Amino acid sequence: MNSDLISLDDGEYGNSSTFCAEPYWYQRFHSPYYNQSHIKFRDKIRQFVEKELSPYVNEWDEAGTYPPELHEKAYKAGILGAIWPKEYGGTPPPLFDAFHDLILIDELARCAAGGILWA
């Protein structure tokens, strides 16, 4: 097996109680497209969403705005402009590919607030 391919321990990922709630590549199925870089990127975004977005989105939706410092927090976390090149202020992973972009949108959508996702 190629060492770049994902190797997961039981229970590390894909342990959601909701059927198909996680991508199949977190459920121990082989994918030639996802590697450890994707897992690390996904973890970084998920932690940011759980800490900085999900607890506050209802409040922000009611107010119709969000705190401006959220942009700086996202940049420091390495996820703001992750699909942009560094020379344009982006924070892409070292080996960025289109699957990182898919992971970014998928994980940000977990906060269930479309306004935050697009802002």
Side-chain angles (χ1 to χ4, degrees):
M1 183 169 174
N2 183 333
S3 63
D4 292 337
L5 299 178
I6 297 173
S7 173
L8 303 175
D9 296 329
D10 288 333
E12 185 178 354
Y13 295 101
N15 56 1
S16 175
S17 61
T18 304
F19 180 69
C20 290
E22 300 287 349
Y24 75 93
W25 46 279
Y26 289 132
Q27 299 174 23
R28 302 186 57 72
F29 292 100
H30 169 74
S31 173
Y33 305 107
Y34 293 93
N35 58 44
Q36 294 299 325
S37 171
H38 298 103
I39 290 176
K40 289 177 185 176
F41 189 62
R42 175 239 183 215
D43 288 346
K44 178 174 24 177
I45 298 167
R46 186 167 288 195
Q47 288 174 15
F48 183 83
V49 168
E50 289 175 358
K51 179 182 178 190
E52 303 291 346
L53 301 181
S54 293
Y56 312 106
V57 292
N58 290 336
E59 176 186 326
W60 297 339
D61 275 348
E62 291 294 321
T65 189
Y66 60 92
E69 61 269 13
L70 189 59
H71 292 279
E72 185 176 344
K73 287 181 180 182
Y75 184 81
K76 287 180 179 178
I79 65 170
L80 182 69
I83 61 172
W84 304 335
K86 285 185 180 190
E87 58 267 20
Y88 295 111
T91 56
L95 301 172
F96 185 82
D97 61 28
F99 293 100
H100 287 94
D101 190 26
L102 294 172
I103 292 167
L104 176 67
I105 299 302
D106 185 53
E107 290 299 321
L108 287 176
R110 293 176 62 87
C111 75
I116 295 298
L117 179 63
W118 292 110

